[in-house]
Amino acid sequence: MTERYFDYAATTPIDDAVIQDMLAHMGRESTFGNPASASHSFGQGARRAVEKARRQVAELVGTSADNLVWTSGATESNNLALKGLAAAAQGRRHIVTSSLEHKAVLDTARQLERDGFEVTWLQPDAEGLIQPEAVAAALRDDTLVVSLMRVNNELGTLTDIAAIGERVRQRGALFHVDAAQATGKVAIDLAGLAVDLMSFSAHKSYGPKGIGALYVGERARPLMQAQIHGGGHEQGLRSGTLATHQIVGMGSAFALAGELMGEENQRIAGLGAQLREGLLSLPGVRLNGCARQRVPHTLNLCIDHPFFNVQGLGRSLAFSSTSACNSASRAPSHVLLALGLDATQAYSSIRLSLGRYTTLADVEAAIEAVRQCLPQ
Ligand SMILES: *Cc1c(COP(=O)(O)O)cnc(C)c1O
């Protein structure tokens, strides 16, 4: 039996239409020029493609193209956002983030802690949510930035970034949001949000790996310092030859996400509900994280049974027992521990994530596979 893919939160395949768009910027007969080569048509064509992609990304997230900086992915975007602010910080030495964040934020904040910044690590409530009041209570006069994610990659839970942004702005701090798991799943309107920096990744939304973007709003722009130097690309914020085919892929994937979002999310909500109900009806299976404030795409379940056969489940389902980034270390998920699970419960938790190509047959097979791995 081949494995069925339930790990869309780790990465997604590139949509076929996106691959076609990327191919137009790779080979000899394509628009392969360096987008910085303004003196000839090869470069000018590539520049046009890059700027079209920038508009496509901007449109999905409700901002204008000139607020977006290309990066190699959300990891780099998170690093640039936090280190870029820290490098230029004058007097403000306090950072607020949470224990639920992706390693790209956690490890960056830890590094800044070693560099002399003070970090407040917010703990989630019992449902795995970071409440606006908890953020407000952590703010200080010297808070530089608050960094939180929109959709949690392990739990699928949502953070109320609109309410939090208002509170952060009132206190004069900046607000960074990691939205790597959000694009295509929830609407994002940066123009209407008190958010100053937002990280994006292409490969969580049916685009290629190795490309992402950082939104830098006008309040953050003068307070940022580049972390990669060499030519002054991207308004001086991130040097390096632009990866035209990757960028075109991200633009194409985000445009497609905008077109498909309504219908796709309705379909996935149906499948997600079916999967959730099917699994929660099995003995000893519990949902990790808030049952309401969430996207339907990602389900994290604790299978509280001493003889649950996780390895057996891995033979028929491709899923994740923790975030892919933690899997390398085999440590229990820091997110589940923050939620109050003990190590044993964290080890017997699984994350199933659905996406564009998940079918009803996949969902039925997944429920059956989990059932089979419980002691009969
Ligand atoms: C995947 C992910 C990242 C890392 O993105 P890359 O583009 O792979 O570097 C960061 N944050 C969240 C929430 C993610 O899900």
Side-chain angles (χ1 to χ4, degrees), residues 59-264:
E59 187 173 351
L60 184 71
V61 299
T63 187
S64 66
D66 38 321
N67 291 330
L68 293 171
V69 172
W70 298 116
T71 65
S72 62
T75 299
E76 187 189 331
S77 296
N78 289 341
N79 271 267
L80 174 57
L82 299 180
K83 292 178 182 167
L85 286 177
Q90 290 172 346
R92 292 182 177 253
R93 308 296 292 173
H94 178 232
I95 294 168
V96 177
T97 186
S98 90
S99 52
L100 293 183
E101 300 311 301
H102 189 272
K103 284 287 169 90
V105 165
L106 290 184
D107 288 350
T108 302
R110 275 193 204 113
Q111 180 58 42
L112 292 172
E113 221 167 24
R114 286 191 285 272
D115 293 344
F117 284 82
E118 210 182 313
V119 178
T120 297
W121 302 93
L122 296 172
Q123 296 299 319
D125 67 11
E127 299 208 282
L129 303 177
I130 302 294
Q131 297 293 352
E133 287 66 33
V135 178
L139 293 170
R140 309 192 322 209
D141 291 339
D142 67 338
T143 304
L144 174 67
V145 60
V146 175
S147 180
L148 296 168
M149 70 210 323
R150 175 66 175 118
V151 176
N152 187 277
N153 53 307
E154 292 198 37
L155 304 172
T157 45
L158 287 158
T159 309
D160 185 354
I161 60 168
I164 291 170
E166 295 301 334
R167 287 162 173 77
V168 173
R169 191 158 285 185
Q170 272 166 19
R171 288 296 299 268
L174 294 165
F175 188 25
H176 165 249
V177 174
D178 179 347
Q181 293 283 340
T183 47
K185 297 193 184 104
V186 294
I188 299 172
D189 179 26
L190 279 165
L193 285 169
V195 169
D196 303 294
L197 297 142
M198 190 177 268
S199 300
F200 304 107
S201 177
H203 78 94
K204 305 288 174 63
S205 303
Y206 310 94
K209 295 167 185 57
I211 183 70
L214 178 67
Y215 161 80
V216 183
E218 59 183 27
R219 288 171 81 248
R221 183 69 190 82
L223 305 172
M224 291 281 290
Q225 213 171 84
Q227 297 303 297
I228 295 179
H229 302 88
H233 306 68
E234 297 297 282
Q235 307 177 52
L237 273 180
R238 201 277 193 175
S239 288
T241 303
L242 294 176
T244 314
H245 59 299
Q246 302 289 82
I247 289 169
V248 164
M250 182 164 179
S252 172
F254 275 40
L256 202 57
E259 282 168 39
L260 300 180
M261 222 169 121
E263 207 180 312
E264 180 167 292

